[in-house]
Amino acid sequence: MRMYDLIMKKRNGAALTEEELQFMIKGYTAGEIPDYQMSAMMMAIYFRGMNEAETLALTMAMAKSGDMLDLSDIHGIKVDKHSTGGVGDKTSLALIPMVAALGIPAAKMSGRGLGHTGGTIDKLESFAGFTTGISEAQFKDNVNRIGIAIMGQTADLAPADKKLYALRDVTATVDNMSLIASSIMSKKLAAGADAIVLDVKTGSGAFMKTEEDSFVLAREMVKIGNSAGRKTIAVISDMDQPLGYAVGNALEVREAIDTLNGNGPADFVELCLTLGSYMAVAGEKAQTVEQARALLEECIANKSALNKLADFIEAQGGDREWVYHPEKLPSASIAEEVEAPASGVVRRIVCDEIGMVSLILGGGRETKESEIDLSVGLVLHKKVGDAVKKGESLATIYANDREKLAAARQRFLGAYTIADEAVVKKPLIKGIVRE
């Protein structure tokens, strides 16, 4: 079998077989197939597309290119959650303790952020001493003992995806549904969960800017997951404005804690309850999403989810008391209000620009080597559809550098559109994609 022949076959519009895709991924991961040939293949796939069988075969070959995490030692049905990412998306921080409080084992692999926001691990490191650098044995023991563990993604988890994504990023072949879906799902399948709930974002702060594209991607990933024997459900949610009010690592942790205390922002609470309900049904802790929602609301009301977060933080080296006293979390030295330049109604927020405000302040990484300032960020006071008077605070910016604060303030004001006419608020949940 030769890579040249496979490139020509796909260039001419034919479907690749499972064996051919396995040969391709195995050879590329091992360094036997050069970048220039794989670049040609990615471009051929970009223009010719892949059918369902090809996409599944590619995903499985990528998933099996490294370690496949075996979670059989963990009791119960393991349900994983994945978000395609957005601004202010601190969902795992509240959602995972909620579902763990219902007895669903939460064995999760998470990553660091690159770009305008930190990743789940960055946010959790707001707790002094917290670490995700735990062994696989401790990871499994923690889940069996307290119901939660989160560890960093290992280099051996779907290594083919890491190599392929870096190549696609510099060859203008990222934007292909089959390649996007196989990239995400290869890591999820390698992580070993029995069921997967996907949060597919749509809007200006999301990777998928239109609802149409978001639904196409969701259907593609759900097909892959179900075909691979994992019960998979996708929730399409709005990311045309930040989720909740807080954007920035320690600030988002505080908002997640507020949520577990019953004081969370309405949109963030709604997303956690929606995702959690489908996770509870998949984990067979409830028969219907309505029943699951009631159980999750009870976990917040009786503080069992909050206590579960404290158990988790303590088990991985952090101080559990910080969960009950979030004022101990990192805080910035400067807090400044951003006043509205005019009266009216907030008509639009360019969501990814709000993410850039956090990046400018130091809350995200411009390169993999960048150090994150966990204390900086912003808390919004007005969102789309809210009335505002001139001089009223739109947000509070938290910073440790006056120059960065000035640049962030200017960027923030450019992201807001205030108009005279009323605005119809969009629903947070756009739809559900099932089998």
Side-chain angles (χ1 to χ4, degrees):
M1 199 177 292
R2 295 192 311 160
M3 187 63 176
Y4 176 93
D5 298 323
L6 303 189
I7 295 168
M8 181 179 290
K9 183 177 181 181
K10 177 49 68 177
R11 185 201 70 184
N12 293 340
L16 299 173
T17 67
E18 182 178 354
E19 292 72 26
E20 287 169 339
L21 287 162
Q22 287 174 351
F23 165 82
M24 179 180 86
I25 293 301
K26 186 176 180 181
Y28 185 58
T29 306
E32 296 161 2
I33 294 173
D35 280 351
Y36 61 82
Q37 283 193 309
M38 188 56 85
S39 297
M41 176 60 83
M42 291 297 104
M43 192 61 75
I45 290 172
Y46 182 88
F47 282 114
R48 289 296 192 173
M50 301 182 86
N51 62 33
E52 286 183 29
E54 284 179 290
T55 305
L56 175 61
L58 174 64
T59 306
M60 295 308 298
M62 289 165 63
K64 293 176 180 177
S65 64
D67 293 341
M68 294 285 284
L69 200 59
D70 181 3
L71 301 182
S72 59
D73 294 342
I74 297 173
H75 315 308
I77 299 171
K78 280 71 72 179
V79 185
D80 199 359
K81 164 258 173 190
H82 174 79
S83 169
T84 56
V87 180
D89 187 4
K90 74 285 292 179
T91 310
S92 291
L93 302 176
L95 174 62
I96 298 305
M98 287 165 62
V99 298
L102 292 185
I104 299 169
K108 186 165 177 57
M109 301 192 82
S110 294
R112 297 187 180 278
L114 180 59
H116 54 61
T117 56
T120 298
I121 289 177
D122 300 307
K123 293 165 189 175
L124 285 167
E125 287 178 350
S126 297
F127 293 95
F130 181 91
T131 180
T132 54
I134 57 178
S135 68
E136 190 174 317
Q138 186 183 346
F139 174 74
K140 293 176 181 179
D141 180 65
N142 284 2
V143 180
N144 280 329
R145 189 165 48 85
I146 63 169
I148 308 181
I150 294 180
M151 65 187 292
Q153 290 178 354
T154 69
D156 291 328
L157 191 79
D161 175 63
K162 189 175 182 179
K163 283 192 73 174
L164 268 181
Y165 191 87
L167 188 70
R168 288 165 54 214
D169 194 36
V170 295
T171 57
T173 53
V174 169
D175 192 16
N176 173 275
M177 287 298 176
S178 290
L179 296 178
I180 295 168
S182 61
S183 174
I184 294 171
M185 293 303 292
S186 63
K187 294 189 288 287
K188 290 291 104 182
L189 296 176
D194 302 311
I196 303 165
V197 174
L198 302 162
D199 179 14
V200 181
K201 304 292 190 185
T202 186
S204 64
F207 184 63
M208 292 293 157
K209 304 298 183 186
T210 69
E211 283 187 40
E212 182 183 3
D213 283 348
S214 298
F215 273 95
V216 170
L217 177 60
R219 291 187 192 104
E220 195 90 14
M221 292 193 293
V222 168
K223 284 177 191 171
I224 291 170
N226 287 325
S227 297
R230 317 290 176 89
K231 185 174 183 179
T232 308
I233 298 164
V235 175
I236 290 81
S237 65
D238 181 69
M239 191 42 76
D240 250 343
Q241 61 178 335
L243 181 62
Y245 292 101
V247 180
N249 298 282
L251 294 169
E252 292 184 36
V253 173
R254 291 186 190 206
E255 190 163 77
I257 291 172
D258 285 344
T259 299
L260 295 180
N261 274 306
N263 303 312
D267 60 342
F268 182 56
V269 172
E270 177 61 26
L271 183 62
C272 288
L273 289 173
T274 301
L275 294 170
S277 295
Y278 285 101
M279 292 176 77
V281 172
E284 297 182 1
K285 296 298 179 181
Q287 292 185 329
T288 66
V289 290
E290 293 78 16
Q291 182 187 10
R293 188 183 184 96
L295 292 171
L296 290 165
E297 288 172 340
E298 178 61 22
C299 287
I300 294 173
N302 65 20
K303 297 293 193 291
S304 60
L306 182 72
N307 295 334
K308 192 61 74 174
L309 175 63
D311 292 343
F312 160 57
I313 295 301
E314 182 177 48
Q316 294 193 210
D319 187 341
R320 67 182 293 118
E321 287 304 309
W322 288 29
V323 173
Y324 305 109
H325 299 281
E327 67 275 7
K328 294 184 177 184
L329 291 161
S331 58
S333 59
I334 307 166
E336 188 170 291
E337 305 299 315
V338 182
E339 298 175 352
S343 297
V345 174
V346 178
R347 182 174 184 177
R348 183 172 182 243
I349 301 174
V350 184
C351 189
D352 51 5
E353 282 295 288
I354 300 298
M356 291 304 299
V357 171
S358 179
L359 178 64
I360 289 167
L361 293 166
R365 288 186 182 83
E366 294 195 53
T367 69
K368 289 180 181 178
E369 291 72 35
S370 299
E371 288 289 324
I372 281 186
D373 185 341
L374 296 169
S375 67
V376 301
L378 62 157
V379 175
L380 307 180
H381 303 310
K382 299 291 181 179
K383 295 182 73 173
V384 174
D386 291 344
V388 61
K389 294 180 180 178
K390 183 178 180 180
E392 196 174 0
S393 179
L394 291 174
T396 305
I397 295 181
Y398 296 89
N400 289 313
D401 182 297
R402 288 283 176 188
E403 283 188 24
K404 291 179 180 178
L405 174 61
R409 180 189 182 88
Q410 185 176 359
R411 194 77 175 246
F412 175 86
L413 286 170
Y416 265 67
T417 300
I418 297 172
D420 292 331
E421 66 269 20
V423 176
V424 177
K425 293 188 179 184
K426 298 178 182 178
L428 176 74
I429 307 301
K430 306 295 186 180
I432 310 294
V433 176
R434 297 182 181 85
E435 189 172 354

